[in-house]
Amino acid sequence: MCGLGSGGFFSFQSSIVSQVLGSHRLGQGMGWLEVAESFGYFAGPVSAGAPPQALGGPNVGAAQYRPAMVSPS
């Protein structure tokens, strides 16, 4: 499901931006879309690594990942 959603997002984003802004502003719209996405690209690894590090780091083993395994996503 993740691959389907991610593949769909990246393959359809240019056609959706073109439909919303028009084909004459596609380059400008794609640039702003990438700028907006960059905040998530920069914050994602930091926010994903903080909980395991706070629960003991690499010395604990798999126990640090248990909250992520049982939490609904």
Side-chain angles (χ1 to χ4, degrees):
M1 293 305 291
C2 181
L4 182 69
S6 181
F9 174 75
F10 286 108
S11 64
F12 289 128
Q13 71 182 3
S14 60
S15 62
I16 292 172
V17 169
S18 177
Q19 289 289 321
V20 172
L21 298 178
S23 61
H24 62 283
R25 296 182 65 194
L26 178 63
Q28 191 176 22
M30 290 298 294
W32 280 110
L33 182 65
E34 293 299 322
V35 167
E37 291 171 357
S38 69
F39 297 111
Y41 293 148
F42 290 130
V46 174
S47 62
Q53 189 66 30
L55 293 172
N59 300 328
V60 180
Q64 62 183 338
Y65 298 106
R66 284 193 186 118
M69 289 183 218
V70 297
S71 67
S73 15

